Amino acid sequence: MMRLETGLILVLLTCVCAGCASRAYAPDTASETQALKIRVGDEVRVVTTNRDRMTFEVTKILDDRFAGVTVEPNAKESRPAGVDVEVPYDSVAMIQVTGFDSKAATAAAVGGLIMVTVALGTLVLTGVPVIIPP
Amino acid sequence: MTGRQLNRSRISRSCLYGVLILATCGCAYRPTIQHPKSEPIKPEATAYDCGQLDSALLKTDTVRWVIRDDGGTLETSGHRAARYLGNIFLVPLSMGLGGPFYANDAGSAVLDAADHRILELLRLKRAHGCPAGLTSEPGMTDLQMLEKLEPLMPEDGTLDRPALDRRTALLDHLRAPLPPPAVATPPGP
């Protein structure tokens, strides 16, 4: 029984951690890029249709483009840190959020902690695992 | 050292070499950004006009270029089977060497998905009667390239290395030569 509970806890934690991991998107249209809900303060890695690679922190979300400031360049990126960039939504071929806005990240962490606590509490008290809806 | 010890030593050395050889498979593939697996064409894409199809092609070609630029290659079904088999031995053997190590697919799955998406978009372009676009392949338009690609990309069946190489070489030249960078520019004062 104890092993089962430990296993369930591990599965639960894995699911919570997987939810936090960032993934890359290849939006087909500008509206799909906008639908990703990128926020000011997020750090994004982008490849444009012009084969331009860059990582920047978003400083403005405009109607048709992101504005931001480049951060320390990753492999194959040519822009140094601290350069202002503007990237039209329709030129985004690939986008990956590599760092979340600190407020959103804190809220997500607190939310995750509450969910884990509730789930573990229920598991310990009742022995029945709680399935957290997606 | 006794004969048995000598044999054991040889076997472990062979295992180690095997592990190292398998572990180097796919070493050239180093994603600099997570490579999304290109999705098959959505039903709404069949209603795209020529401009939207060209835009979708440009984006998928960019995804494909990133995968290739990061070292992605297509693997034959034989190579895939050998990799699966090798990993069965490699993973447990490498556990004692700081592993687990395993041979990855060198981006084959994501590259294959991007290739097929491009094929489908080109087919839609042809079906809609869109004007052919330029490619970097001398004397070949994208719709002419489609005709060369179709026999190289059957729906089912295994492909040999030369066919995969030919397909890769063609798709590497799908896009016309790039204009100078102008998309992401520093904002004006």
Side-chain angles (χ1 to χ4, degrees), chain A residues 34 40 58-68 86-87 89:
Chain A
Q34 281 177 293
V40 170
V58 178
T59 53
K60 273 185 201 164
I61 306 282
L62 302 166
D63 287 344
D64 60 343
R65 62 196 187 279
F66 297 117
E86 287 192 358
V87 182
Y89 298 139

Side-chain angles (χ1 to χ4, degrees), chain A:
Chain A
M1 188 63 192
M2 192 64 193
R3 276 187 187 172
L4 179 70
E5 284 182 7
T6 312
L8 285 170
I9 290 166
L10 284 174
V11 168
L12 191 67
L13 285 175
T14 308
C15 292
V16 169
C17 292
C20 296
S22 74
R23 55 168 288 200
Y25 296 89
D28 245 1
T29 57
S31 55
E32 280 182 32
T33 306
Q34 281 177 293
L36 294 174
K37 303 283 181 202
I38 305 291
R39 296 157 187 251
V40 170
D42 286 347
E43 188 181 296
V44 292
R45 193 171 299 170
V46 165
V47 184
T48 68
T49 49
N50 218 25
R51 298 183 175 176
D52 197 0
R53 297 167 180 259
M54 66 189 94
T55 306
F56 60 93
E57 188 181 320
V58 178
T59 53
K60 273 185 201 164
I61 306 282
L62 302 166
D63 287 344
D64 60 343
R65 62 196 187 279
F66 297 117
V69 179
T70 55
V71 297
E72 206 55 42
N74 292 289
K76 300 185 180 179
E77 291 176 0
S78 54
R79 285 182 178 74
V83 175
D84 290 336
V85 287
E86 287 192 358
V87 182
Y89 298 139
D90 62 1
S91 75
V92 174
M94 290 172 79
I95 183 165
Q96 181 181 3
V97 181
T98 53
F100 292 95
D101 164 36
S102 56
K103 282 179 192 168
T106 309
V110 170
L113 193 65
I114 291 169
M115 280 201 303
V116 170
T117 310
V118 169
L120 289 181
T122 315
L123 192 66
V124 169
L125 292 174
T126 65
V128 179
V130 173
I131 297 167
I132 297 167

Side-chain angles (χ1 to χ4, degrees), chain B residues 9 17 33 51 125:
Chain B
S9 168
Y17 288 150
I33 180 171
K125 200 174 161 178

Side-chain angles (χ1 to χ4, degrees), chain B residues 68-179:
Chain B
R68 292 281 295 142
D69 195 41
D70 287 349
T73 53
L74 294 170
E75 65 179 358
T76 61
S77 47
H79 187 272
R80 187 185 310 126
R83 182 169 55 79
Y84 286 162
L85 187 66
N87 280 340
I88 291 172
F89 298 101
L90 180 62
V91 171
L93 280 172
S94 64
M95 292 299 273
L97 300 166
F101 301 121
Y102 59 92
N104 65 36
D105 77 340
S108 181
V110 283
L111 184 59
D112 187 56
D115 285 1
H116 278 91
R117 190 161 207 272
I118 288 172
L119 185 81
E120 290 306 314
L121 287 166
L122 285 172
R123 280 178 174 156
L124 280 176
K125 200 174 161 178
R126 181 175 59 190
H128 289 197
C130 299
L134 290 173
T135 69
S136 301
E137 193 75 5
M140 192 185 283
T141 65
D142 54 358
L143 295 181
Q144 288 168 330
M145 188 179 282
L146 171 63
E147 283 170 20
K148 301 260 182 202
L149 285 169
E150 281 178 323
L152 298 171
M153 298 172 71
E155 291 302 319
D156 50 4
T158 56
L159 287 170
D160 56 2
R161 189 76 256 165
L164 292 179
D165 288 346
R166 176 74 184 131
R167 160 181 153 187
T168 302
L170 279 171
L171 284 169
D172 282 351
H173 291 101
L174 175 65
R175 193 188 293 199
L178 283 171

